[in-house]
Amino acid sequence: MATDLQIYSTTYETALLRDIIPFWEKYSPDREYGGYFTCLDRTGNVFDTDKFLWLQGRQAWTFSMLYNRLEQKEDWLEISRLGIEFLDKYGRDRHGDFYFSLSRKGEPLVQPYNIFSDCFAAMAFSQYSKASQREEMGVKATDIFRKILKRRDNPKGIYNKIYPGTRSLKNFALPMILSNLCLEMEEFLDKGLVEATLDECVVEVMEAFLDNERMLVYENLLTDNSFSDSFEGRLINPGHGIEAMWFMLDIAMRREDQALAEKAKEVILHLVEYGWDKEHGGIFYFLDVKGHPPQQLEWDQKLWWVHLETLVALAKAFKITGDPHCWEWFGRVHAYTWENFPDPEHGEWFGYLNRRGEVLLPLKGGKWKGCFHVPRALYEVWQALEDIEKLKIN
Amino acid sequence: MATDLQIYSTTYETALLRDIIPFWEKYSPDREYGGYFTCLDRTGNVFDTDKFLWLQGRQAWTFSMLYNRLEQKEDWLEISRLGIEFLDKYGRDRHGDFYFSLSRKGEPLVQPYNIFSDCFAAMAFSQYSKASQREEMGVKATDIFRKILKRRDNPKGIYNKIYPGTRSLKNFALPMILSNLCLEMEEFLDKGLVEATLDECVVEVMEAFLDNERMLVYENLLTDNSFSDSFEGRLINPGHGIEAMWFMLDIAMRREDQALAEKAKEVILHLVEYGWDKEHGGIFYFLDVKGHPPQQLEWDQKLWWVHLETLVALAKAFKITGDPHCWEWFGRVHAYTWENFPDPEHGEWFGYLNRRGEVLLPLKGGKWKGCFHVPRALYEVWQALEDIEKLKIN
């Protein structure tokens, strides 16, 4: 296994530093208007110039994160700055909420109906503040964080199309993202606020959204925490649940909470087994908990982020718990992922495969895929594997 | 060809009367709370009880239409009444706009962000008024129609997420649906209003949204009628364009406008050729006019309504213009459609196939598929084929 570990570890490191990062460094920066192009075709050509704020924030975060954790390369800081300053200059409406998308030049296109623009902006500003040592950026990050907490109960605001009262649902994504964002921003936040927010997030994720009998994570729940027998309530997104579990593992490590780590590991193993396509391999995008047809026509597709986040979760879970099932599953998901997603011809990874693992959209980036899940996961898995190696030697 | 015609004609008639209508008569009516169940699994079992207003209106329309045009069966009128009274009692908010969805009992779930609920309600009320001879239902239909015209320039109202001014797009669906609705409701509307609305719709569809050089129909256009090089602007939905062309053929017939008929026929032939999947057969759901990856992950799927509306368009175009290319394409689309969509085991048709023509979702009805496209198209094709047969004999 030691040899396996080394081979795997080198694979993730090499792909990150020789393939993924150079691709985005080369094709993505918009040196003319600031920010990044994310709609890149198979060869890296820009096929659309709109700027989607999730992806602007995420890419700015990625380059600052690499600067802070891996190597203080001036180029990385500069690329991060390009996104931060674009976000800072054009990103907010008059209430301080972040738009969903802007034109290439920064004119608003889609209103702030989606609070995750704000979440990824806060993540980016705080990481960049550490990298650049520009304190004002940390202040901006905390301002955004506070506004997110305020909007928490009705994150879509006036753009919410749900009629109030008939079926009051809450969504999994916000407590999930907050549990990660809170750790990300820890040094900028009041200690009490961090602990309180983490406590709430862990309860929401592990007690409310996690169905402890089925060991599945719901995407939507009634506000009294009960199951809603509706399209929204029955929806399972295995990759989403698994990603949340590695955020839980991070919290468990920080708090030395072995019980939380064990529980998160069990959920990861169950979700990957549940979501695995026994016929064609890979993890389904969406399933209905009762086995009914989901409303998502893309339900059977194999998405890059689902597989990468699963690899992160399995590597971390193995590192922390040593459960050999995690290592077995890591091998299986690794084999599927590396066989199907990377593009050996033009570099970087395809994002969207059909059920059979054939390329569905020959893009490297688009409205939802940017410079984030691939580099973050490659980095996280590489680090976890190195830690495991060190543990084996000691 | 005469024999072919008879075989085809019997196929459409038999499927309509022996398979499709009995399926919906048996499984769909909610005799307890009114309205219809539309989420039916492969065998007809109800798997979700929410009531989506597009489908409530469309099914009420279908049964009244059959009553008016085919046979005055009391059962059909009664089924139509079930939907009409449910819509009338629970469908509107306090401004008189129709919700998008209701619970089984009629409680509002999703707000009136979607004007097509109103369009299909107007269609249903007017057709039911003719069938039931209840005049007040015709008055209600015209009230809805007038409100649609008022909301026309901003149909999503407060739920519109687009920032005003940066990129002002208009959408193809409303002029397309209005051109059909206007003919549907003709006898309830002022003659001047009918002609003016039809004039506007024909101009919008055939001069604005139709790209006369490429012979393709855009889904979205800048408000000055120019092309928008964006995900929305580049989007082509071949089935949508083809369906609109048979509405144009209906207008051409009514106005004895042979030039409009010829033009619509040319567009149909070009769109079916353009949208045809040369590798696996069938018509793609979405394409990008520049060949870039569309944002719709379901772009390569084969949908029931796309194929049925194409059959209607080709049958009507052949009947009106006699162009043999229409008959050739009719044969090709007929063969694909009948081989892949009908369910020989449990009756009715599958709605969603993957690119290879395999069943993607084993449902007979859901949030978007109800009792509408299959019966309407079977009826329309059957009638068109009978007309062609009569023309041949004379």
Side-chain angles (χ1 to χ4, degrees), chain A residues 50 108 111 166-167 295 367, chain B residues 50 108 166-167 295 367:
Chain A
D50 283 357
Q111 302 275 18
T166 308
R167 182 189 291 155
Q295 64 174 313
K367 187 170 172 179
Chain B
D50 283 358
T166 308
R167 182 189 291 154
Q295 63 174 313
K367 187 171 172 179

Side-chain angles (χ1 to χ4, degrees), chain A residues 122-316:
Chain A
M123 214 170 145
F125 279 86
S126 61
Q127 195 68 237
Y128 178 72
S129 175
K130 279 187 250 183
S132 63
Q133 296 180 328
R134 287 169 65 179
E135 270 179 43
E136 81 275 20
M137 292 300 176
V139 175
K140 289 181 186 196
T142 55
D143 286 347
I144 304 167
F145 186 81
R146 269 193 226 102
K147 282 180 70 66
I148 294 168
L149 293 186
K150 268 192 204 155
R151 285 170 68 191
R152 209 170 167 174
D153 291 328
N154 187 15
K156 293 198 178 178
I158 59 164
Y159 303 103
N160 188 354
K161 293 181 298 194
I162 305 303
Y163 187 90
T166 308
R167 182 189 291 155
S168 297
L169 293 171
K170 56 181 183 179
N171 182 269
F172 178 60
L174 193 51
M176 165 190 166
I177 293 292
L178 276 179
S179 66
N180 177 247
L181 184 58
C182 212
L183 288 190
E184 272 286 328
M185 291 186 56
E186 194 169 353
E187 63 193 77
F188 298 94
L189 300 173
D190 173 75
K191 197 176 149 45
L193 179 65
V194 171
E195 295 305 324
T197 309
L198 287 178
D199 284 343
E200 281 175 50
C201 289
V202 172
V203 169
E204 278 297 282
V205 171
M206 301 305 281
E207 291 174 31
F209 285 97
L210 173 65
D211 179 332
N212 272 281
E213 272 179 47
R214 296 174 190 252
M215 292 292 270
L216 295 175
V217 179
Y218 297 115
E219 286 298 299
N220 298 287
L221 218 53
L222 290 166
T223 44
D224 69 358
N225 289 349
S226 64
F227 172 71
S228 166
D229 192 356
S230 59
F231 281 104
E232 293 76 19
R234 293 190 301 270
L235 189 66
I236 304 286
N237 178 329
H240 219 203
I242 292 169
E243 183 179 359
M245 288 306 126
W246 78 250
F247 299 163
M248 293 298 115
L249 290 175
D250 279 358
I251 296 171
M253 286 288 276
R254 178 179 171 286
R255 293 182 159 187
E256 298 182 355
D257 182 342
Q258 195 63 26
L260 177 60
E262 283 294 330
K263 183 68 174 283
K265 180 261 294 176
E266 288 302 321
V267 178
I268 291 165
L269 286 173
H270 191 263
L271 273 171
V272 67
E273 173 86 38
Y274 176 83
W276 190 254
D277 180 353
K278 275 84 187 168
E279 199 173 335
H280 296 284
I283 300 163
F284 287 121
Y285 190 9
F286 291 110
L287 293 165
D288 178 294
V289 74
K290 292 191 155 185
H292 299 318
Q295 64 174 313
Q296 287 78 7
L297 299 185
E298 64 273 31
W299 73 273
D300 70 348
Q301 296 176 10
K302 311 292 163 66
L303 269 67
W304 85 107
W305 68 263
V306 169
H307 295 77
L308 283 159
E309 299 302 334
T310 301
L311 289 165
V312 174
L314 289 164
K316 285 190 188 249

